[in-house]
Amino acid sequence: MSNVPAGWYPSPEDSNQVRYWDGAQWTQSTAPAAAAQAAPAPEAAPASAFSTPPAPEAPSIPPPPAAPDAPVAESGSSGSKKKWLIGGAIAAGVIVVGSVGAAIGGGDRPEPVVEASVAPVVETTPPAPVVEETPTPTPTPVVEEVDAVAFRAQAGSHLDDMVKDIDDIVATVNEGGFWRLISNSGEIAFNQGQLEALDVPVNIATTWPASLVVLESTEDALTDAISTQDGPSILSAVDVMRAQVEATRSVANTAQ
C-alpha cells in the first residue's frame, strides 16, 4: 500500500498537466498544471475501469502546496472540450481581428497607378509635293548693230592721235630732250584705252581685239625704251609701234 495521500500531482506523462492520485494509483483525470491545484478530487472509479496497471508507490512525491481558491477544472473529457472551446474562440478572434485590420489597411492602400505608355510617338511628315520645274528658255542675246562708219571714224581718230605722239617722240629724241617723252608715252596709253572702249562691229569682233593686244605690247616696249633714255633704242621702238598702228587701222577699216 502507498503512503502518498490522494491529490493532484504532476503527470508522469506530461509535465504541463497534473494527474489525480487516488492514494493507491493514478486515475484518468487530468487538468492543466496551473488550474488544477485546487481542483476537487474526482470520484473514485473501480479498479477494473482503468486500462493501465496500478501505479507504483511514489512516496517521494510531495503534495503540492495549498493554493487559494481557484476555479475548479472539470475532469476527463469535459476539460479537453473546454480547452478546445477556448482555443477555437481565440482563433476566431484572431481571424476577426485580422479581417478588420485588413479591411482598415485596405482603405488606406493607394490605388495602383497605371503608368501611361511611354512609347515614342513618331510623327510622320507627308512628303513634299513634287513641283515640276518648267525649264526657262534661254533668251537669245540681242546683238545691237554697230554703225561701222562711226566705228571707223572713231578708231581712225584715236590712231591719228597715236601717230602725232609718236612724231613728237622722234622730234624730242632728235633735240636731245627727255621729259617730254614721258608725257607722250602717257598720251599714247590714253589712246590705247579709248580704242579698247569702242563698240566693235560683228564682222571684226575677233580680229579687232587681237590687233589691240599686239598694239599694247609695242606700246609697253616703247615705254621701256624711253626709261633707258637711249635715243637709238627709243627710235627703234617707235618704228615698231608706228607699223602696228597702221596694221590696227587696216583692221578698223574692214568694219562693215
Side-chain angles (χ1 to χ4, degrees):
M1 295 296 290
S2 173
N3 57 359
V4 178
W8 293 95
Y9 298 97
S11 173
E13 292 84 4
D14 190 352
S15 61
N16 294 324
Q17 291 185 338
V18 291
R19 186 181 291 274
Y20 190 77
W21 174 263
D22 62 0
Q25 61 182 358
W26 292 108
T27 67
Q28 296 296 320
S29 299
T30 60
Q37 293 181 359
E43 295 181 358
S48 59
F50 303 103
S51 59
T52 58
E57 294 181 357
S60 62
I61 301 176
D69 295 341
V72 179
E74 295 184 3
S75 61
S77 61
S78 60
S80 298
K81 292 179 179 180
K82 181 177 292 185
K83 289 189 293 181
W84 282 106
L85 291 175
I86 294 172
I90 294 173
V94 171
I95 292 173
V96 171
V97 171
S99 299
V100 173
I104 295 173
D108 295 335
R109 185 179 298 116
E111 293 295 330
V113 178
V114 179
E115 295 184 358
S117 174
V118 293
V121 178
V122 180
E123 296 183 358
T124 57
T125 303
V130 178
V131 179
E132 296 183 358
E133 296 183 358
T134 303
T136 304
T138 303
T140 303
V142 178
V143 179
E144 296 183 0
E145 186 176 354
V146 177
D147 187 353
V149 176
F151 170 78
R152 290 195 299 268
Q154 292 175 358
S157 175
H158 296 312
L159 292 171
D160 289 342
D161 289 341
M162 279 188 173
V163 171
K164 291 178 181 179
D165 291 328
I166 291 173
D167 291 340
D168 287 343
I169 291 174
V170 172
T172 302
V173 170
N174 291 332
E175 294 174 358
F178 174 73
W179 294 108
R180 188 176 176 182
L181 297 177
I182 298 175
S183 175
N184 293 138
S185 176
E187 290 177 0
I188 291 174
F190 173 78
N191 291 323
Q192 175 77 24
Q194 294 295 317
L195 292 171
E196 292 175 354
L198 294 175
D199 292 332
V200 183
V202 177
N203 69 309
I204 61 171
T206 303
T207 56
W208 177 254
S211 65
L212 292 182
V213 171
V214 177
L215 182 63
E216 185 178 10
S217 65
T218 59
E219 177 196 344
D220 293 339
L222 177 58
T223 303
D224 292 339
I226 292 173
S227 65
T228 64
Q229 300 184 20
D230 181 60
S233 298
I234 296 173
L235 294 176
S236 176
V238 165
D239 292 338
V240 174
M241 186 171 183
R242 189 188 299 274
Q244 184 58 40
V245 168
E246 295 305 324
T248 304
R249 189 190 304 273
S250 298
V251 175
N253 291 332
T254 61
Q256 296 178 356

